[in-house]
Amino acid sequence: MRSTQSAISMVMVGLTLAAGCTRTKPPEPSADGRQTLVLPQAERDAVLAEMRQMLESTNGILHASVANDMPAIEKAARASGMAMAVDSALEQHLPAAFLQWGMQTHRSFDQLADQAAAGGTREDAIRTLATLTDNCVACHRTYRVETDR
């Protein structure tokens, strides 16, 4: 199912780019001080879908940690690793810091999965997850994503 969602997202992004979709209005300052990223609808949807997957992985890691189920921790973490990273066509629309946090977060999910597979403990997983989510907090504190409509 995940590969189907990824394929659909990539097709949507490709169609949007092929149609020559451009920004119709400049980004307005955010009332809460965050930088607004204005993206075409399909690209915004792809970014938000990726973030929801990371949240689902985080939730799965926490539930698996409570159950001390290391294989489930590995599976949940791997679901948000580098294999699901944002499509390279979208990268041209995102700031370098946003991309850096995102790629570091995907690599951290893979590291957590590797750690669980190599005999790590649930305490190790929770410690790694706490550090990993620092990226999430920093990114959400810095950016907001809107559509260009």
Side-chain angles (χ1 to χ4, degrees):
M1 181 171 150
R2 185 156 141 57
S3 62
T4 302
Q5 289 173 339
S6 295
I8 290 170
S9 293
M10 283 191 242
V11 168
M12 290 172 52
V13 169
L15 290 173
T16 300
L17 293 173
C21 190
T22 60
R23 183 179 292 168
T24 58
K25 63 179 181 177
E28 296 180 18
S30 173
D32 61 9
R34 293 181 292 164
Q35 179 181 343
T36 302
L37 303 180
V38 180
L39 301 172
Q41 185 70 46
E43 293 171 337
R44 178 182 178 272
D45 290 349
V47 168
L48 295 180
E50 189 170 324
M51 289 180 194
R52 282 190 302 275
Q53 175 56 53
M54 287 189 221
L55 181 58
E56 288 177 22
S57 288
T58 299
N59 185 256
I61 292 163
L62 290 171
H63 281 282
S65 294
V66 168
N68 200 24
D69 184 345
M70 298 311 290
I73 290 173
E74 178 187 5
K75 180 179 178 183
R78 193 73 67 201
S80 287
M82 287 299 293
M84 69 88 55
V86 73
D87 185 327
S88 61
L90 180 56
E91 289 180 12
Q92 66 185 341
H93 298 283
L94 300 171
F98 184 94
L99 289 169
Q100 182 178 4
W101 274 324
M103 294 303 107
Q104 182 180 8
T105 303
H106 288 300
R107 284 190 298 275
S108 295
F109 273 111
D110 279 335
Q111 289 169 351
L112 198 160
D114 293 343
Q115 180 183 53
T121 66
R122 70 178 171 186
E123 290 78 15
D124 294 332
I126 292 169
R127 189 177 306 103
T128 301
L129 183 63
T131 300
L132 181 158
T133 59
D134 288 342
N135 288 340
C136 303
V137 171
C139 191
H140 283 270
R141 185 182 297 130
T142 304
Y143 298 106
R144 59 183 284 136
V145 181
E146 292 185 3
T147 186
D148 62 356
R149 293 184 192 177

